[in-house]
Amino acid sequence: MNESRLAQLFKFLEDDPNDAFTLYAIATEYRQENPQKALEYYEKLLTEHENYVGTYYHSAKLYEELGQNDVAEQTYKKGMLISRREGNMHAFAELQQAFNKMMGLDYEDD
């Protein structure tokens, strides 16, 4: 975790508390060393910026890593719904592939 980058991001957040990208960047900074803290920021994004498609893949993956597969499943599904609605088929495909893998439906590796 880069402390100076995190400090800069918090300054950006102070200037614009509703900036989805800044919240996402903060979550990403916390991701490796403090997954629970990262999850707090991902959940804030999921609640307050539900159309910010990039959040779904990373938050669902984190839920998976934390053993919360039911929440991960719901997050993938909602992300697929939102990304399709937003016309972001790249994000949709990534979410679908990760969801299928989690559900044991990924046949490519067999």
Side-chain angles (χ1 to χ4, degrees):
M1 185 164 45
N2 184 322
E3 294 296 329
S4 63
R5 187 164 48 220
L6 202 53
Q8 184 66 48
L9 289 169
F10 279 116
K11 175 137 181 36
F12 291 152
L13 191 61
E14 197 177 295
D15 294 342
D16 185 359
N18 288 315
D19 183 52
F21 180 77
T22 302
L23 291 168
Y24 179 81
I26 292 170
T28 302
E29 282 296 316
Y30 279 123
R31 182 80 168 77
Q32 290 301 323
E33 293 178 36
N34 193 339
Q36 266 326 119
K37 195 75 169 162
L39 201 53
E40 288 175 30
Y41 284 94
Y42 285 138
E43 288 176 344
K44 184 174 176 65
L45 280 161
L46 292 171
T47 303
E48 297 176 12
H49 302 278
E50 80 167 8
N51 292 337
Y52 197 78
V53 175
T55 308
Y56 291 92
Y57 176 87
H58 296 286
S59 57
K61 271 289 183 207
L62 186 52
Y63 284 126
E64 262 189 270
E65 290 168 19
L66 296 173
Q68 299 179 37
N69 285 4
D70 289 349
V71 184
E73 179 182 345
Q74 293 309 310
T75 305
Y76 281 129
K77 286 179 176 178
K78 184 168 183 185
M80 286 186 281
L81 185 74
I82 300 282
S83 60
R84 182 182 282 156
R85 189 175 73 204
E86 294 289 308
N88 188 335
M89 297 318 286
H90 177 75
F92 175 82
E94 283 184 338
L95 287 159
Q96 187 170 48
Q97 184 177 15
F99 173 75
N100 288 347
K101 190 170 191 169
M102 183 187 86
M103 301 302 287
L105 303 172
D106 185 15
Y107 304 115
E108 293 176 348
D109 297 333
D110 292 350

